[in-house]
Amino acid sequence: MTQSAMYSRVIGTGSYLPLCRVTNQQLVDELARRGIQTSDEWIVSRTGIRARHFSAPEQTSSDMALEAACRALEMAKLKASEIDLIIVATSTPDFVFPSTACLVQSKLGIKNGGAAFDIQAVCSGFVYAFSMADNLIRSGVYRNALVIGTEVFSRLLDFNDRTTCVLFGDGAGAIVLQQSRQPGVLSSVLHADGSHANILCVPGNVQGGMVAGQAFLQMDGQAVFKLAVKVLEKVAHEVLDKAGIDSSLIDWLIPHQANLRIMTSTAKKLGVSDEKMVITVDQHGNTSAASIPLALDVAVRDGRIHSGHRVMVQGVGGGFTWGAILFCM
Ligand code: ACO
């Protein structure tokens, strides 16, 4: 008797946005008080962003991850104790160590649990974490995984640098992945090219009790833009080829929510209409590793994405890193 293939399936999604919502105009006014000139028109026309959320000073990545995780567990109808793998994607961990995943595990009340660790792939982090969890579940090692993207990117922003501080926001998103005989993840592809490390970075670290180097985000926007457009199209074709599926069979495209112009350009090249793309960058800004699970949760909860739909998620970010996953809900 042949055994049918093992898959991992998304059985729950959840997300969290901090209470403080800041519109472009509010940010423009705040920056003007510092002598920095920008405008709602500039931000919307270059990025599609209209608002973002900023965390409260005491709020951490693990706090927001916990909220998103609880909502995903509720949808999955699973108890926290049934989770045997937690992967958190973040570039803004609570501490140097322990990992944010261990903090989330503890906040969920799990004791003597399975593996918990963080992944650092900046804005591709969630796609990296999702792919790792899928592989670990399909290999039979784990059964129920929480995969979380959570960021307090506002803490990395230099509010005297108008070229970056208008782009990012804070938030968290989570999925519960479960082992299944029913098709879930169909294919995944991950890439990195560290030779582009300098075009998007926070070139600082901790030394002797102090920050050494620069702890603010630095970006060559045009270089990032060109590379993102190129690799997102390429990786989409790679993940489709791997699954043996044509782009016309994609029900929903969820690219990393960094810039509407990058997103629409990718969709156009794939022949996917804008109506099939989930867009949250207008309301969330770029929340790095949280952007994809946040967008997925929004579209699941408002009824656009439902069981049986084929979804492609695509990440791209610092490192440089990029990747895509094709899965059935
Ligand atoms: N308000 C007003 N003017 C601005 C602002 C601002 N906030 N920021 C820059 N400008 C000015 C510049 O100073 C420049 O002025 P100049 O011509 O007098 O020198 C002018 O606008 C044009 O600047 P460019 O950098 O050429 O603007 P561009 O059209 O490239 O847009 C942007 C900049 C939005 C950053 C774009 O390059 C971009 O989206 N890049 C990709 C960024 C991205 O997606 N990053 C994240 C991906 S990975 C991750 O998520 C971590």
Side-chain angles (χ1 to χ4, degrees):
M1 197 175 81
T2 53
Q3 235 193 344
S4 60
M6 185 89 85
Y7 292 95
S8 76
R9 282 192 67 217
V10 177
I11 60 161
T13 65
S15 61
Y16 174 81
L17 288 165
L19 293 180
C20 175
R21 180 176 182 271
V22 178
T23 63
N24 283 350
Q25 196 53 54
Q26 287 169 320
L27 188 58
V28 167
D29 293 344
E30 173 56 32
L31 293 176
R33 280 192 277 277
R34 295 166 175 253
I36 309 291
Q37 300 308 315
T38 183
S39 65
D40 175 49
E41 194 280 323
W42 191 96
I43 301 169
V44 174
S45 64
R46 305 285 174 131
T47 71
I49 297 167
R50 294 175 186 276
R52 75 286 293 141
H53 291 246
F54 287 146
S55 58
E58 69 284 359
Q59 210 167 18
T60 63
S61 281
S62 71
D63 292 334
M64 297 196 297
L66 175 69
E67 299 286 344
C70 287
R71 290 169 195 181
L73 284 168
E74 192 182 16
M75 188 187 287
K77 297 187 173 58
L78 277 192
K79 292 198 282 285
S81 57
E82 292 173 277
I83 293 294
D84 52 6
L85 172 67
I86 300 177
I87 310 182
V88 171
T90 186
S91 300
T92 48
D94 292 20
F95 302 121
V96 173
F97 65 80
S99 71
T100 305
C102 283
L103 300 175
V104 171
Q105 190 204 48
S106 167
K107 288 179 181 184
L108 282 168
I110 303 171
K111 287 207 165 74
N112 293 314
F117 59 93
D118 288 1
I119 276 188
Q120 160 61 292
V122 200
C123 303
S124 311
F126 178 77
V127 172
Y128 265 62
F130 189 172
S131 175
M132 293 299 132
D134 169 56
N135 279 290
L136 288 167
I137 286 176
R138 278 193 297 108
S139 68
V141 180
Y142 297 101
R143 190 173 155 67
N144 294 312
L146 252 178
V147 183
I148 305 170
T150 184
E151 302 281 15
V152 283
F153 247 60
S154 58
R155 293 186 194 154
L156 301 177
L157 299 177
D158 177 356
F159 284 93
N160 294 309
D161 175 10
R162 67 178 182 174
T163 67
T164 53
C165 73
V166 300
L167 304 175
F168 296 90
D170 301 337
I175 58 170
V176 176
L177 265 187
Q178 185 170 66
Q179 203 176 69
S180 170
R181 293 282 175 204
Q182 230 183 303
V185 174
L186 304 172
S187 60
S188 72
V189 176
L190 302 177
H191 287 292
D193 182 348
S195 69
H196 298 293
N198 60 334
I199 63 172
L200 182 55
C201 54
V202 180
N205 58 38
V206 179
Q207 275 180 39
M210 315 259 282
V211 172
Q214 279 292 326
F216 285 131
L217 181 145
Q218 298 177 2
M219 180 174 73
D220 176 344
Q222 290 194 3
V224 169
F225 195 102
K226 281 185 202 141
L227 199 56
V229 167
K230 193 170 93 184
V231 299
L232 286 176
E233 183 195 4
K234 195 159 174 282
V235 79
H237 287 299
E238 286 179 277
V239 84
L240 284 165
D241 289 349
K242 205 169 163 185
I245 281 177
D246 185 79
S247 63
S248 60
L249 295 175
I250 299 174
D251 294 300
W252 293 102
L253 177 64
I254 310 185
H256 169 47
Q257 311 278 318
N259 181 312
L260 192 57
R261 288 190 296 151
I262 296 177
M263 294 164 63
T264 48
S265 147
T266 308
K268 196 168 164 197
K269 286 181 179 164
L270 288 177
V272 172
S273 69
D274 285 357
E275 292 70 46
K276 288 185 170 185
M277 184 164 63
V278 180
I279 299 168
T280 49
V281 67
D282 57 335
Q283 295 303 318
H284 301 171
N286 180 349
T287 57
S288 189
S291 92
I292 292 171
L294 259 163
L296 175 64
D297 186 50
V298 166
V300 166
R301 284 178 194 265
D302 69 19
R304 274 179 289 172
I305 297 182
H306 49 80
S307 189
H309 276 172
R310 283 191 202 89
V311 182
M312 184 193 287
V313 292
Q314 297 182 301
V316 60
F320 223 70
T321 55
W322 64 100
I325 299 179
L326 192 64
F327 63 100
C328 272
M329 276 301 287

